[in-house]
Amino acid sequence: MNTADLGLPVDVPSTALFTDQYELTMLRAALKAGTAGRRSVFEVFTRRLPDGRRYGVVAGTGRVLDAVENFRFDADVLRFLREKDIVDEQTLDWLAQYRFSGDIWGYPEGEVYFPGSPIMRVEGSFGECVLLETVILSILNHDSAIAAAASRMSSAAGDRPLIEMGARRTHELAAVAAARSAYVGGFATTSDLAAGFRYNIPTVGTSAHAFTLLHDNERDAFRAQVDALGRDTTLLVDTYDVAEAVRTAVEVAGPELGAVRIDSGDLLLVAHRVRQQLDELGATRTKIVVTSDLDEYAIASLAAAPVDAYGVGTQLVTGSGHPTASMVYKLVARESGGAGDGAPLVPVAKKSTGGKTSIGGRKWAARRLDADGHAEAEVIGTGPVPADLAGRQLLVELVKGGEVVAREPLDAARDRHTAARAGLPLSATQLSRGEPVIPTEYAHEGSGN
């Protein structure tokens, strides 16, 4: 299903103004100079991973495809640009006809990446490609940051499921994207119904402390919830006294009680006590869910605790300390002659101090494996792909001639990430600070057509 066609309230009719003004002023100047039609290649990459992280996770690709399809300058948008005198009439006429007609290649969603990886490559005329910079970076930077945090958390959780619960900690639209990215990164469910509606992510939820406080006593609250939702519901047991709440919960629901949730206190200690109490009361199959400002480190610290699932909110939707992936969108090659005359591409690159240099040329990327089948290097080049790496190339075609050719179910990206992470060296899942788990190597530098 193409979710861009649903017309949901979490969508917008056009993504054309999800951009910075200088994209349009560059277009205006290029049109005047006659260079807007020059064939160009832009690439998305990051110069470094967030401090201490060992790999990145590509997320948001599907949303980028929707954004490119919806990048249209309708009458209201054009009127705004005219009234604010942002562009001239020549540019407005050009924008009115805008449809991206180029090609986009990229790492498939869920794949891992490293410093320098050409995560996405956008090819077409300068004018049509430059306009997409901000919206592509906005999506990929946010979603990849959330997916990377989710991946670390799901790795720490092992086989125990994770619930995304961060909607109240971020912008209402960002919450939907965050839930999607968390699912790619390994979370099992979300509490956010908009994310469930739009992306078919499984949703969960039962009650908060307010429901207990509404009633005259805890027993009445538990009875009301069980009567409405059944014995397999999850009862929140830390509003007052945890031990008394657990006892009451089992009395009300019986040993068939689905789960109890603990949202405060020393989770390691309380979980052990609750597990023992549940077993003594005969509720041996009742599960324990823990919440309360968890991150990957807290989840790892609970590995030995009798916990069955984790609910994560704030730390997830803020990237667990790294809310952006620091990706950039750079022109790396352009036509050497006039606009659209078929001249060869020439590599271009910014020369700068302070770590902001880039490497010119249209790039390919491949992952070299060791004898055991694990990744040992991210190899990036601009010339012919070596024969031994031809079958290990990472970029896939996403858009061809302006048409999306690689839309896929979200579960495909989720499964891909599980496989990609498993293909990394074991140290990739360590939570201790470290360098990227494999090095980035550059080969065959030079121009490419």
Side-chain angles (χ1 to χ4, degrees):
M1 176 176 61
N2 182 356
T3 55
D5 294 335
L6 294 179
L8 303 180
V10 293
D11 254 342
V12 291
S14 169
T15 53
L17 291 185
F18 288 173
T19 191
D20 292 305
Q21 180 167 321
Y22 79 167
E23 316 290 5
L24 296 182
T25 53
M26 282 192 288
L27 171 65
R28 176 179 180 174
L31 286 171
K32 187 174 182 62
T35 53
R38 277 190 174 178
R39 183 176 165 218
S40 301
V41 180
F42 288 81
E43 288 177 352
V44 176
F45 62 94
T46 184
R47 296 183 176 95
R48 63 192 65 83
L49 297 179
D51 190 31
R53 295 285 176 89
R54 296 170 184 260
Y55 63 93
V57 181
V58 178
T61 308
R63 296 208 307 123
V64 167
L65 300 181
D66 290 344
V68 170
E69 285 188 330
N70 289 334
F71 206 91
R72 304 284 187 269
F73 291 84
D74 58 27
D76 289 339
V77 170
L78 293 170
R79 186 180 305 111
F80 164 78
L81 296 175
R82 178 181 288 109
E83 290 174 352
K84 299 299 181 181
D85 197 28
I86 293 171
V87 293
D88 59 9
E89 288 299 322
Q90 178 190 17
T91 308
L92 286 169
D93 291 342
W94 191 94
L95 293 174
Q97 305 301 317
Y98 181 88
R99 298 291 186 273
F100 180 73
S101 64
D103 303 327
I104 300 178
W105 290 70
Y107 280 37
E109 191 158 19
E111 183 57 85
V112 296
Y113 69 87
F114 299 91
S117 296
I119 296 161
M120 186 168 286
R121 188 175 74 216
V122 182
E123 302 188 33
S125 71
F126 176 83
E128 63 181 338
C129 294
V130 75
L131 294 184
L132 298 177
E133 174 182 3
T134 303
V135 69
I136 287 177
L137 288 180
S138 176
I139 293 171
L140 293 181
N141 269 314
H142 174 269
D143 290 20
S144 297
I146 306 303
S151 178
R152 286 163 60 85
M153 293 173 187
S154 65
S155 178
D159 295 332
R160 299 172 179 177
L162 290 158
I163 308 163
E164 187 279 314
M165 303 172 64
R168 63 192 60 195
R169 303 301 188 208
T170 189
H171 185 279
E172 66 271 19
L173 299 186
V176 181
R180 182 187 184 281
S181 300
Y183 190 69
V184 170
F187 274 57
T189 54
T190 179
S191 66
D192 188 71
L193 289 178
F197 181 51
R198 178 165 172 75
Y199 295 116
N200 202 31
I201 301 170
T203 59
V204 295
T206 50
S207 68
H209 293 103
F211 187 76
T212 300
L213 296 170
L214 168 69
H215 294 80
D216 293 337
N217 55 64
E218 209 162 34
R219 182 178 296 274
D220 288 349
F222 289 171
R223 171 57 62 192
Q225 185 174 327
V226 170
D227 287 347
L229 302 178
R231 296 178 184 271
D232 62 347
T233 190
T234 299
L235 296 176
L236 183 58
V237 295
D238 71 325
T239 305
Y240 304 118
D241 179 82
V242 173
E244 181 61 30
V246 171
R247 185 179 304 108
T248 302
V250 176
E251 289 176 0
V252 170
E256 299 86 4
L257 175 62
V260 295
R261 178 162 75 94
I262 306 166
D263 189 49
S264 60
D266 183 336
L267 297 179
L268 179 63
L269 176 62
V270 175
H272 277 287
R273 288 178 175 174
V274 169
R275 181 74 269 159
Q276 180 179 355
Q277 186 180 10
L278 286 170
D279 292 346
E280 290 173 351
L281 293 170
T284 57
R285 295 186 179 181
T286 299
K287 296 180 179 180
I288 297 175
V289 180
V290 296
T291 53
S292 186
D293 291 326
L294 298 177
D295 61 11
E296 60 266 47
Y297 302 102
I299 292 168
S301 74
L302 293 168
V307 172
D308 298 286
Y310 307 92
V312 188
T314 303
Q315 292 302 317
L316 174 67
V317 299
T318 57
S320 195
H322 297 287
T324 178
S326 298
M327 295 176 186
V328 295
Y329 183 97
K330 296 298 181 183
L331 180 66
V332 297
R334 61 156 174 84
E335 200 170 19
S336 59
D341 63 3
L345 291 176
V346 294
V348 294
K350 174 184 177 182
K351 293 184 178 179
S352 174
T353 58
K356 283 196 170 184
T357 57
S358 57
I359 297 174
R362 182 212 280 148
K363 300 173 191 67
W364 52 262
R367 192 161 296 147
R368 191 173 67 238
L369 306 183
D370 63 18
D372 296 321
H374 290 100
E376 67 174 11
E378 193 90 337
V379 185
I380 299 168
T382 56
V385 181
D388 62 322
L389 294 175
R392 302 294 309 169
Q393 293 190 72
L394 292 163
L395 279 78
V396 299
E397 194 167 31
L398 302 172
V399 176
K400 183 176 183 178
E403 298 295 325
V404 174
V405 296
R407 188 170 274 110
E408 62 182 5
L410 194 57
D411 280 325
R414 190 171 188 268
D415 293 342
R416 182 180 296 114
H417 177 62
T418 299
R421 188 176 63 189
L424 297 176
L426 187 60
S427 57
T429 58
Q430 291 178 339
L431 295 181
S432 58
R433 297 166 67 85
E435 297 299 314
V437 71
I438 60 173
T440 300
E441 299 178 0
Y442 292 92
H444 303 292
E445 295 185 8
S447 64
N449 294 325

